[in-house]
């Protein structure tokens, strides 16, 4: 159930590549949090910047502690990076619908573009099935922090990296990796794709999955004001027509439900 | 807390509707109640003004629909709603379970639309009043035209008046030269109350992509940034007419709300603040009570319109 | 810094006045230059729009004259100024020492007042243009009446037009239903340019003393809070008329300024931001240059009105 | 000359009675600062609260370090109290006209109401003449912090305290103390009053000085936006008619120049 907390910051450390890792303490938050769900954090007690910021849950350290990993990209995340242990933040969550549970016969393929990895990391750590992890970025410095990649390696059967400029891993797009993995079908069981990243990348990934005729779940990013389904600000265009709310029906959707804007 | 020592009396009479307290939630910022029911005991609210409903379902505008601005936000939701029938069959029954006034915000693209929704609502139980939105800046075809043309406003409102026994509240646009002209037109049309302000028409541009931040190009500005404009308009309107006013625009605290009461509002509505704090409406109520008892006021009613000009 | 690699060309032609760059300082927020000369090299500015001058000296309103609001401020200075003669004899000579355009903002309580100031200024050297303030919300007798009545605006501006060879810029009020009507009236009256926006009429109340925060009761809202409204109005006006526009309202950064340029402004003015950072005007200029070269624009002129609507 | 600084906070300690003492480092700031002058401090890098806050200079620790003593009364001072050593603040100053130099034959009488003491403390520490210090407040907890009162005692020939509720020092108004001091004329030399505090108190003080026919200089508080004379927001009504700017012609005025609003 969604809750409003005054969460206490336990730690807020720079972990490289422009990312920070923040531990937040709030009674019971860790108990219900599921992979793909997110929290809304207010970054100031004043009125500018006004809106709370959404962040995917990266891990549950305990029943009362969650962790987020965020990238400093603007005023809100700069303020967040100024906060220190002991400071309190208004936090709302866990919010939204996460990834569906990984089925017995399924082989999860986690596809992360840019800073889309946090919910996938949570998923990898929560499912017993060893996942195939594909990490893509423009260049090395846009990849997840090293320790996060290390974590993925421990949690998965295989981690493959692609950068567009070849500064790390294989040169090319993450979609190339996905296509390759699906061709080989090296793993036994039903491959299921779980993806998070920029919408253009999610669109491409879902097309590949569709061609391959396999399930694909995507976590969508949209600007949010309320995070609880009230403002209708975070709408995602649906195939059935009309819109769904990323914060309420999403952020995770079956990729086939979404009306993708072809670039 | 002092506040509990001698709790001030908070009920107000709004156009014959007795509200247990003057704190309402603003249309479009509180859904149909459900979304916030897990954070707020809806029974504690003076009332809920629901998201605008139209005769037919409306999809709304393509995203992006919102953008943050200094101490405010722009929105161009485009009045997405499931239509009046779904509202009555699926949303209203839920709201009726609570002991709070339900005010239904309506709009349309034509006079006929407005009248059809009004008639539909007139026949159902559990509605305290109808708030007629003649001021949505995000719907090209409708809303705004009425809200910024005094004759059109009068014509629309007097027709709506004929179609229902329910109290009707005209929600005025702030995007006008003289709010008192529209306030008087609403009175002449037989409205029982006024709501102001709706959002200010605004725009933001991404200077790198050179595109508007909203797919709709322009949107409605709300939040604390607009409060001084809202307080001024409530003050002007309250001096011009004798029907009660629901004041809104940037209310975040009980102190903010009392500014509107002193300016002449009988009730207030909390909007954007719900987004940054789901319990904002309750915090506003408690804040009002605290200040009232600190300042030795026996009731909130004593303060209505009581700003003393030096 | 990248910016210096290939510096974009920043000059603009504003109604025949060549400004070395589009960054001006807004009337009433930069005094007559002196106050900020120790922080800013005035030679770096595209121009200075001086504090409004009237035919006779004016004392202005009693204090308190200002109040802070969320991301903005209210002011009711009441156009305090030493009068046009003192301006010409004591302030102008100082300003003329700098290589920057001097635009003189004028106002009055009657048409005659406006015309008298205009004629007085017409005869002196060193003035690039006259900005006619028909929109000050804080002067009961004058200003606003013209600014919110299109016929009065037209009548006033066309008379002012006849009294001077200098380019005249109409400073429009944002407190109107349709800015384009006033923009067109200014064009018809023979104005050479437009300035918008002036402040939005606002009000704030001390809920404990129950008095308005400003002795004048209402005041003008300025600062970042109003920027979305200002950008929208500049965009609307730019589509409606072909004379150049000075865009202002909440500009704090170069990015803010470029929003106005893309919306259709040829130049911009920095106002309230000067108060929170005496070097704001220069920071805005540098910020614009930086973004222009990052985005590969050769000149600021390329961007004027170039917001592309999806 | 006024300067715009990125001042570094060296310390920001609570000193009791709701006050904090902040040391600010800025190249050369201490060299020119005179008693009665003030600085404008921005309390955030964001846009709410928007305006800088004015604070009188309490002392110059060195040519590059000044000290202010501020009371936490609202959002801006709360933010200020959150700042820590190493943080930078935009600072403008020293601003305005301070107290006129204390003449040889003069006996300075420093009259402080509420939180008006900082500029008077600076004056006491800068003049060789030993001053008579009168401190008034509603109640004990509204008096200057203990260490500040201690400092006054070191710097002056006599410190007298009055509280309206009698919770500390003599019971009554500070104006009673002033009247008493002036009656006695115990000190040799020309008494000159230097006062800072709420406007009503300054008004009363100046009336007494006027009756006694002695000089009186008052530091006026008015809301400020720019602090440099540009916005015309801080006007003080003058006897000659018209207004003067507290930030530019003031904050210190000869009390005879001011058109007092009699309560
Ligand atoms: C469901 C969800 C989960 C997310 N999880 C993470 C995460 O785990 N780690 C992480 O680093 N980032 C995550 N993001 C993106 C994160 O919300 C933005 O980076 C952040 O809001 C930027 O705020 P800012 O003030 O620093 O940037 P600014 O650009 O200054 O923000 C301006 C406005 O745009 C909004 N905004 C900016 N970028 C985004 C974005 N990408 N998505 C949605 N709104 C945006 C902000 O919320 C704010 O309202 C997530 C976004 C969503 C919707
Ligand atoms: C010349 C001068 C010197 C001062 N010196 C000191 C000092 O040494 N120590 C100290 O504790 N205080 C001093 N003050 C008062 C101090 O500026 C205010 O306490 C402070 O601005 C309060 O800000 P806030 O945001 O916490 O309060 P808020 O009430 O939230 O402020 C709201 C607005 O009102 C203004 N304001 C509030 N109180 C005052 C006030 N008393 N005078 C002027 N503006 C005010 C604020 O600047 C802000 O713009 C001085 C004021 C002036 C004019
Ligand atoms: C996201 C959003 C949606 C809104 N939808 C409606 C609506 O459907 N009908 C209406 O009359 N007003 C609508 N409003 C306007 C609010 O009811 C209110 O008048 C305005 O936001 C000012 O109050 P605030 O500043 O407290 O938000 C909406 C406002 C927002 C921010
Ligand atoms: C303190 C103050 C004084 C002003 N005085 C004038 C004036 O004399 N004449 C005028 O045309 N506009 C005046 N303005 C309006 C500004 O020039 C500008 O139009 C408005 O403040 C919006 O810009 P900003 O948000 O950047 O301040 C004044 C504004 C402020 C804040
Ligand atoms: S963010 Fe408000 S509905 Fe999704
Ligand atoms: S604060 Fe601006 S003139 Fe004094």
């Amino acid at each position: 159930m969604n809750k409003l907390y005054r969460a206490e910051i336990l730690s807020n450390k720079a972990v490289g590549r422009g990312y920070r890792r923040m531990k937040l303490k709030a009674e019971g938050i860790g108990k219900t949090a599921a992979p793909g769900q997110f929290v809304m954090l207010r970054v100031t007690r004043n009125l500018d910047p006004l809106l709370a910021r959404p962040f995917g849950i990266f891990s549950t350290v305990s029943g009362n502690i969650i962790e987020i990993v965020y990238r400093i990209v603007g005023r809100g995340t700069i303020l967040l990076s100024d906060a220190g242990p002991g400071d309190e933040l208004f936090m709302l969550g866990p919010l939204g619908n996460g990834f569906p549970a990984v089925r017995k016969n399924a082989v999860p393929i986690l596809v992360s573009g840019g800073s889309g990895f946090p919910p996938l990391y949570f998923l990898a750590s929560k499912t017993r099935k060893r996942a195939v992890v594909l990490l893509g970025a423009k260049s090395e410095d846009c990849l997840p922090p090293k320790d996060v990649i290390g974590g993925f390696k421990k949690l998965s059967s295989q981690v493959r990296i692609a950068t567009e400029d070849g500064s790390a891993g294989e040169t090319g797009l993450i979609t190339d990796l996905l296509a390759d993995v699906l061709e080989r079908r090296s793993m036994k069981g039903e491959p299921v794709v779980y993806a998070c990243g920029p919408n253009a990348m999610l669109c491409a990934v879902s097309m590949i999955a569709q061609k391959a005729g396999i399930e694909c779940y995507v976590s969508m990013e949209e600007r949010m004001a309320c995070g609880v389904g009230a403002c209708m600000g975070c709408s995602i265009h649906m195939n059935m027509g009309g819109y769904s709310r990323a914060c309420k029906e999403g952020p995770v959707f079956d990729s086939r439900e979404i009306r993708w804007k072809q670039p | 807390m002092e506040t509990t020592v001698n709790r001030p009396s908070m009920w107000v009479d709004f156009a014959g509707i007795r509200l247990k307290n003057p704190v309402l939630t603003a249309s479009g910022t509180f859904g149909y109640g459900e979304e916030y029911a897990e954070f707020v005991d809806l029974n504690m609210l003076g009332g809920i003004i629901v998201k605008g409903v139209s005769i037919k379902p409306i999809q709304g505008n393509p995203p992006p629909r919102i953008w943050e601005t200094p101490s405010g936000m722009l929105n161009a939701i485009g009045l997405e709603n499931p239509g009046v029938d779904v509202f009555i069959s699926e949303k209203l029954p839920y709201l009726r379970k609570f002991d709070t006034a339900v005010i239904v915000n309506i709009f349309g693209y034509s006079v006929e639309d407005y009248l059809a929704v009004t008639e539909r609502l007139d026949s159902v139980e559990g509605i305290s009043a109808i708030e007629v939105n003649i001021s949505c800046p995000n719907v090209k075809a409708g809303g705004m035209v009425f809200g910024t043309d005094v004759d059109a406003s009068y014509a629309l409102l007097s027709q709506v008046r004929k179609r229902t026994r329910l109290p009707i509240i005209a929600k005025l646009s702030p995007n006008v030269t003289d709010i008192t002209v529209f306030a008087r037109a609403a009175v002449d049309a037989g409205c029982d109350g006024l709501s102001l302000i709706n959002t200010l028409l605004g725009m933001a541009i991404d200077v790198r992509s050179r595109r508007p931040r909203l797919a709709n190009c322009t949107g409605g500005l709300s939040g604390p940034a607009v409060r001084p404009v809202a307080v001024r308009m409530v003050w002007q309107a309250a001096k011009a007419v004798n029907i009660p006013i629901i004041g809104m625009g940037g209310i975040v605290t009980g102190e903010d709300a009392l500014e509107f009461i002193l300016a002449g509002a009988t009730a207030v509505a909390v909007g954007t603040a719900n987004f940054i704090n789901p319990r904002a409406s309750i915090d506003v109520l408690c804040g009002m009570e605290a200040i009232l008892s600190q300042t030795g006021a026996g009731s909130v009613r004593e303060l209505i319109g009581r700003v003393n000009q030096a």
Side-chain angles (χ1 to χ4, degrees), chain A, chain B:
Chain A
M1 197 198 95
N2 303 341
K3 279 238 181 59
L4 177 62
Y5 298 99
R6 288 168 142 282
E8 183 194 347
I9 298 176
L10 298 178
S11 64
N12 184 18
K13 291 202 200 66
V15 289
R17 293 177 176 160
Y19 286 94
R20 282 181 164 258
R21 223 168 143 143
M22 181 182 273
K23 279 201 178 66
L24 291 154
K25 183 156 178 273
E27 188 60 33
I29 179 77
K31 294 202 185 71
T32 56
Q37 288 191 299
F38 65 99
V39 294
M40 297 286 287
L41 288 177
R42 279 212 73 198
V43 293
T44 172
R45 267 176 286 132
N46 296 298
L47 299 172
D48 175 67
L50 184 69
L51 302 173
R53 303 321 199 213
F55 297 96
I57 297 167
F58 175 79
S59 78
T60 50
V61 179
S62 78
N64 302 325
I65 299 173
I66 62 164
E67 215 176 2
I68 64 167
V69 178
Y70 63 96
R71 178 162 213 159
I72 298 171
V73 300
R75 288 191 314 140
T77 42
I78 287 170
L79 275 167
L80 214 52
S81 66
D82 291 341
D87 293 353
E88 283 190 335
L89 296 179
F90 281 99
M91 178 172 78
L92 200 55
L95 301 170
N97 291 308
F99 294 103
V102 178
R103 285 193 313 281
K104 274 224 165 336
N105 65 330
V107 178
I109 303 176
L110 312 187
V111 184
S112 160
S115 52
F117 61 88
L120 297 172
Y121 189 93
F122 193 19
L123 180 64
S125 63
K126 282 292 176 196
T127 160
R128 266 197 215 67
K129 309 286 269 173
R130 298 201 131 258
V132 174
V133 175
L134 309 179
L135 305 172
K138 284 208 167 32
S139 59
E140 179 171 20
D141 53 326
C142 297
L143 282 170
K146 288 203 180 62
D147 62 340
V148 170
I149 295 181
F152 268 123
K153 285 181 173 151
K154 286 199 201 66
L155 292 165
S156 58
S157 61
Q158 180 191 22
V159 174
R160 287 176 67 179
I161 292 171
T163 55
E164 295 178 26
D165 67 358
S167 50
E170 303 161 56
T171 307
L173 296 168
I174 190 159
T175 42
D176 307 335
L177 294 188
L178 178 60
D180 183 59
V181 168
L182 292 179
E183 250 163 45
R184 300 224 184 117
R185 286 291 177 107
S186 51
M187 71 294 250
K188 40 183 107 49
E190 265 304 309
V192 179
V193 174
Y194 304 84
C196 185
N199 287 354
M201 166 260 190
L202 294 180
C203 172
V205 165
S206 63
M207 294 309 139
I208 293 176
Q210 214 158 348
K211 278 202 200 64
I214 63 174
E215 282 176 78
C216 176
Y217 298 94
V218 293
S219 178
M220 304 291 286
E221 271 192 10
E222 197 35 82
R223 281 185 219 142
M224 295 181 173
C226 71
V228 299
C231 74
M232 302 291 165
C234 62
S235 33
I236 305 284
H237 209 164
M238 293 284 118
N239 258 334
M240 309 171 40
Y243 299 95
S244 285
R245 297 164 295 184
C247 71
K248 194 81 175 177
E249 288 78 38
V252 174
F253 295 92
D254 181 325
S255 71
R256 287 163 300 192
E257 295 172 353
I258 288 170
R259 177 170 303 174
W260 296 102
K261 258 201 240 66
Q262 303 289 3
Chain B
M1 233 170 97
E2 292 172 50
T3 63
T4 49
V5 178
N6 58 343
R7 263 188 125 194
S9 160
M10 295 302 285
W11 68 266
V12 294
D13 177 312
F14 189 92
I17 317 161
R18 185 180 166 115
L19 304 173
K20 67 175 67 161
N21 66 62
V23 180
L24 315 173
T25 55
S27 179
T29 67
F30 208 71
Y32 298 103
E34 295 123 320
E35 287 80 7
Y36 284 107
E38 51 189 324
F39 303 104
V40 175
D41 174 0
L42 302 184
N43 297 302
M44 287 180 68
L45 294 173
I48 294 171
I49 309 177
V50 302
K51 172 79 181 153
V53 294
S54 49
I55 189 68
K56 293 201 186 58
I58 289 175
Q59 285 197 4
N61 293 326
R65 292 176 168 189
I66 56 174
W67 180 249
E68 185 181 54
T69 69
S71 296
M73 67 177 280
L74 287 167
N75 89 83
I77 306 302
L79 296 166
E80 174 173 354
N81 82 93
V84 68
D85 292 326
V86 173
F87 168 73
I88 292 169
S89 58
E90 294 174 23
K91 308 295 183 181
L92 188 56
Y94 176 83
L95 284 168
R96 289 189 61 182
K97 286 187 279 176
F98 300 92
D99 171 26
T100 190
V102 175
I103 299 173
V104 181
N105 179 280
I106 68 162
F107 72 97
Y109 297 112
S110 66
V111 175
E112 294 61 39
D113 287 356
Y114 277 95
L115 302 183
V117 190
T118 307
E119 283 164 352
R120 192 78 184 72
L121 292 169
D122 184 59
S123 60
V124 301
E125 285 301 306
I127 296 173
S128 299
I130 294 177
E131 181 183 61
V132 187
N133 178 8
I134 57 170
S135 50
C136 179
N138 300 330
V139 189
K140 302 227 164 27
M144 193 78 156
V145 249
F146 298 109
T148 56
D149 173 335
V150 69
D151 301 329
S153 300
Y154 174 81
L156 172 65
L157 293 169
S158 42
Q159 293 240 44
V160 171
R161 168 72 294 171
K162 297 198 191 74
R163 300 301 205 287
T164 180
R165 63 194 159 74
L166 291 167
I168 60 174
I169 302 163
K171 182 147 183 190
L172 303 184
S173 170
N175 302 293
V176 297
T177 305
D178 183 352
I179 195 73
T180 64
V181 174
F182 289 83
R184 288 200 200 84
V187 174
D188 298 343
C191 291
D192 305 281
L194 300 176
S195 277
L196 54 149
I197 63 175
N198 206 319
T199 55
L200 285 163
L201 189 61
M203 180 176 179
I205 299 169
D206 180 336
V207 302
R208 289 182 172 78
S209 72
R210 300 185 188 178
R211 296 186 170 288
R213 294 286 191 179
L214 301 176
N216 187 58
C217 195
T218 60
L221 181 65
S222 67
V226 308
R227 194 195 315 135
V229 175
V231 171
R232 182 262 301 182
M233 285 193 168
V234 166
W235 177 72
Q236 289 176 319
K239 287 191 305 176
V241 300
N242 293 323
I243 57 175
I245 296 172
I246 303 172
M248 67 192 84
I251 295 173
V252 177
T253 67
E255 191 169 345
D256 302 341
L258 286 175
E259 279 196 70
F260 283 86
I261 300 288
L262 286 164
T266 298
V268 296
V270 177
T272 299
N274 294 304
F275 304 155
I276 65 177
N277 170 14
R279 289 185 51 80
S281 50
I282 302 303
D283 292 354
V284 165
L285 176 58
C286 297
M288 291 175 82
E289 289 177 345
I291 294 171
L292 288 173
S293 39
Q294 284 159 24
T295 56
S299 85
V300 66
R301 299 178 295 285
E302 295 169 14
L303 269 67
I304 297 171
R306 289 304 178 76
V307 59
N308 29 38
Q309 290 163 60

